[in-house]
Amino acid sequence: MKFISVRLHIWRNTHWEDFTVQVSSEAYVLDALEAASEQDKSLLFRHACHHASCGSCGLRINGRERLACITPVKDVINTLGMIRLEPLRNFPLIGDLLVDFKPFMQQLDRIDLPLRRSAELLSKEINIDSFKRVFNKAALDIPEISPGFNRLENCIECGLCVSACPIAGTDILYSGPACLAAVGRVLSEPRHRSVMDIIELVDNEHGLWRCHAAFECSEVCPAGVDPAREILALRSHILRNNFKS
Amino acid sequence: MKRRSRWFEFHLHPAGMLAFMIHRLTGIGLVVYLYLHLWILNTLRQGSQAWDTFLQMMRSPMVLLLDAVLLFGILFHGLNGLRLSLVGLGIGLRWQKWLFWGSLGVAVCLTICGIWIMV
Ligand code: SF4
Ligand code: FES
């Protein structure tokens, strides 16, 4: 296996600090970061799954929001062998590369339904028509809807979209792309929830109408959620409804 | 909390952000121009002599260059405004990048035509 030397240029609250580590040429940024943390155990960062599933390792890598666990070192290392790492923007900073997700999760929590991740039992009372829009036919062909069927949700709550959004940086109360995309998701699969109640949460100047269509959220989203599209489609839905009534 | 507005940032896939930046820059420019325009109209009150001197000054190449910038600003802001209205209504979301490059292209071409006519 070929090894390469990487200099991680890391923002540490008040100053930049460099860590030089040896990693495999096939390593990911998170591997390099873990090697750096061997040199200094006080280095703060978050990770868990190592495969773009838990959404906890989001960073700004060379200024761009990415998941450290799926970003190959060789894709982002510059000619001087350096990679610049900074914490996500628009979140309270805990320290080093670690930000506080609590306000973000609280926002998402208000929308609730599309983000329930635990294996949920699908029962017959669920509106199968709305499911047809989400799941492919094959999934519906499972004879008895099996207990433990895991709803496959795209958003991994990584917060990259919030960090990339230029508006989240100017309006502290802005709901943010992930939260608004979640509302769009509820709309496409209401599951007996009152859609109007949920839309009301974001039908205001700090919600849906704050987006300025910079499309940065969709550029950085690692899960293909395309929040910008969801937000603007939701707007169009509300406008149409308002015209009708 | 590390919050700062980031109106100006360049990326590898820039369409949305570039549109966002130019739209704001041209918007601010047009507001400034509106006041400038009112101030210029004010010279009309100072008699025909003052107006003639002003018109003479307007023919300098430097001012013509500023006119070209103004023309581009109006064109791009208008066309991109149209694009934003469309995508804001959920229309053409899939082509938003092309709508941006189209607006930019048309604005640049018409500005060049404008310069052609002016000089
Ligand atoms: S919408 Fe995309 S970028 Fe935003 S939190 Fe969800 S997965 Fe991450
Ligand atoms: S470590 Fe889980 S998404 Fe990166």
Side-chain angles (χ1 to χ4, degrees), chain A residues 54-56 58 67 88 91 101 104 155-161 221-222:
Chain A
C54 69
S56 58
L67 292 179
L88 294 182
F91 289 94
F101 265 19
F104 173 61
C155 178
I156 57 168
E157 297 118 58
C158 62
L160 298 194
C161 52
C221 178

Side-chain angles (χ1 to χ4, degrees), chain A residues 60 64 89-92 164-172 212-216 219 229 232 235-236 239, chain B residues 1-7 9 11 13-17 20 24 83-84 87-90 93-94 96-97:
Chain A
R60 277 189 300 139
R64 200 58 174 144
R89 276 182 291 220
N90 309 328
F91 289 94
C165 172
I167 300 306
T170 53
D171 179 9
I172 198 161
H212 284 231
F215 292 90
E216 282 286 274
E219 287 292 345
R229 201 179 140 100
L232 297 169
R235 266 190 196 175
S236 126
L239 277 176
Chain B
M1 180 162 333
K2 200 175 179 203
R3 267 177 199 270
R4 65 184 161 90
S5 60
R6 32 174 294 273
W7 281 15
E9 229 176 52
H11 302 303
H13 307 289
M17 195 63 189
F20 181 83
R24 262 139 201 80
R83 162 185 170 264
L84 289 175
V87 295
L89 291 170
L93 276 168
R94 266 204 265 155
Q96 63 87 10
K97 284 186 186 178

